[in-house]
Amino acid sequence: MDRPEIILAPGPTPIPPEVLLAQGSPLVYHRGPGFGNLMRDVTARLKELYRTENGDVLLMTASGTGGLEAAIQNCFSPGDEVFVPLAGFFSERWKQVAEAHGLTVRTSEDEWGTKLDPAKVADALAAFPDVKAVLLTQSETSTGVIQPIEQLARVANDAGTLVLVDAVSSLGAVPFEFDAWGIDVACGGSQKALSASPGIAFLAISERAWAAHAEATLGRYYFDWSIYERFAALPHPENPWTPAISVMQGLAAALELYFQDGVDVALARHEMLSRAVKDGARALGLDLFGEGLDDNWTVTAIRAPEGIDADTISDRIRSDFSCVIAPGQGPLKGKVFRIGHFGYFSELDIIRGLAALEMTLERLGFPVKRGAAVAAAESVFQAAHTGVG
Ligand SMILES: Cc1ncc(COP(=O)(O)O)c(C=O)c1O
């Protein structure tokens, strides 16, 4: 029988019924008061999520990578120097986008799974005095590591550079403070912690980033912030081009849900779900990958047991249980599999994912104590609710 897949991947994340209904409703025409109200609501809520009063938030029809491209096109001129501390697949993406636009990209290289050391970034910036911006990735989705953006931004600010952050897979799942941390551009996406459909990228933009935009000469058109700003300032705010209207309707509903209990409750839920997945995997005797596990609330990378290819685990759990987890990327291919736990997940979603993992591993010949992962997750949930594990 056809059933929806059970998604435990780091985005797109499962979409709540309220969001599906909203995005399946008749289109709100994109020029006029209805869409204007949607834009106003979504923008105001995103500003709260970014924790910014000083920054502007722009919404663009694109996936997350479009947001990164928009940031590069709007802040720089050909040949400008930027610094990217590499430690995974998505920091590499910053480098590729910057290089594609003719920037000079300085890098440091840390092993995948490393939590970046701000002091090393400070040293690198001292060695490259012409760097204009540091390009950071908050949740390195390929390794599960949440990078210490506050501290990294401080060293970048001290060095007088702009700070651009890919927060695509972290905004809404872990703490983020656009104003307090001195961030200049932060990119987010509709399909991750907010659990709307893919299709809308959003950017928070500081005054310093607007100043950089005014000087920047890289070619830009579709993503030109000035055009977006002009349309957003209309009495009924608009997007310059035909937007992903249905996704916007869904995103407004997703934010409504997200904000029902407030940001702090949503963040605490992410921490709890992360702990449950990690304790569950450990209870099966599996090793976790990456540094800073207590902070890594978006996705957990788990090493495959000796003698089993990690891709076989992600393939088998999908074919046997319709459960989608993510394989390893780059050098981690075949070595780790990744369970995403951000977005619209409840305790029972995690429990059924762990149960599927137990049965999959057993079918692949790994000795499993049935129920061990589920019991460990239950202990986390019971402790969170009653104070007793
Ligand atoms: C950290 C990070 N950056 C950027 C992206 C952008 O991807 P996309 O363009 O597929 O939305 C992703 C998607 O997984 C991501 O995890």
Side-chain angles (χ1 to χ4, degrees), residues 63-65 90 93 137 139 141 166 168-169 191-192:
S63 75
T65 307
F90 288 99
R93 180 159 308 177
T137 306
S139 161
T141 320
D166 171 347
V168 170
S169 66
Q191 80 277 27
K192 301 286 191 181

Side-chain angles (χ1 to χ4, degrees), residues 205 246 273 289 389:
I205 301 166
S246 304
L273 298 181
F289 178 83

Side-chain angles (χ1 to χ4, degrees), residues 37 54 57 61 64 81 95 196-197 229 242 247 274 283 313 371:
N37 287 338
N54 309 328
V57 169
T61 299
E81 270 186 43
K95 173 173 179 272
S197 282
E229 190 193 26
T242 311
V247 181
S274 169
I313 298 171

Side-chain angles (χ1 to χ4, degrees), residues 103-366:
L103 303 190
T104 301
V105 182
R106 308 291 188 189
T107 59
S108 58
E109 278 192 51
D110 280 288
E111 258 184 56
W112 286 35
T114 304
K115 186 164 189 152
L116 295 168
D117 177 356
K120 275 172 70 178
V121 172
D123 290 346
L125 291 177
F128 300 123
D130 294 329
V131 160
K132 279 196 164 171
V134 178
L135 315 184
L136 301 171
T137 306
Q138 186 178 25
S139 161
E140 179 45 84
T141 320
S142 60
T143 65
V145 174
I146 299 294
Q147 298 296 359
I149 297 298
E150 180 179 8
Q151 293 78 1
L152 293 166
R154 192 172 306 134
V155 302
N157 277 310
D158 288 348
T161 77
L162 293 174
V163 183
L164 276 55
V165 181
D166 171 347
V168 170
S169 66
S170 55
L171 188 69
V174 300
F176 192 83
E177 298 275 349
F178 186 84
D179 289 353
W181 294 352
I183 310 298
D184 294 295
V185 182
C187 309
S190 50
Q191 80 277 27
K192 301 286 191 181
L194 299 176
S195 283
S197 282
I200 296 181
F202 22 89
L203 281 86
I205 301 166
S206 74
E207 264 176 45
R208 286 198 315 175
W210 278 114
H213 162 87
E215 305 284 315
T217 61
L218 275 180
R220 60 190 190 223
Y221 183 75
Y222 183 83
F223 289 130
D224 190 331
W225 291 349
S226 294
I227 308 179
Y228 280 82
E229 190 193 26
R230 212 162 57 238
F231 278 76
L234 291 170
H236 301 306
E238 293 180 18
N239 255 208
W241 333 118
T242 311
I245 300 172
S246 304
V247 181
M248 185 73 95
Q249 293 173 204
L251 179 58
L255 283 161
E256 172 83 31
L257 263 184
Y258 183 95
F259 275 88
Q260 264 174 7
D261 299 321
V263 178
D264 292 338
V265 170
L267 297 182
R269 180 171 52 86
H270 282 91
E271 181 185 18
M272 176 182 71
L273 298 181
S274 169
R275 234 171 331 114
V277 170
K278 289 173 173 62
D279 283 5
R282 287 191 189 104
L284 294 175
L286 301 174
D287 292 328
L288 304 182
F289 178 83
E291 295 181 347
L293 290 167
D294 289 346
D295 297 328
N296 300 346
W297 303 348
T298 58
V299 52
T300 297
I302 301 169
R303 287 183 196 276
E306 200 60 38
I308 302 181
D309 188 282
D311 287 3
T312 309
I313 298 171
S314 49
D315 289 348
R316 188 72 187 265
I317 195 171
R318 190 168 189 182
S319 61
D320 284 11
F321 298 102
S322 295
C323 181
V324 184
I325 61 174
Q329 294 170 298
L332 301 181
K333 187 156 178 50
K335 298 191 174 129
V336 307
F337 59 94
R338 293 172 297 141
I339 296 182
H341 34 75
F342 59 87
Y344 180 70
F345 284 114
S346 70
E347 289 96 325
L348 292 184
D349 295 324
I350 298 299
I351 288 210
R352 75 180 172 166
L354 289 173
L357 179 63
E358 289 179 359
M359 290 187 278
T360 302
L361 288 172
E362 188 178 323
R363 289 175 192 189
L364 290 171
F366 180 68

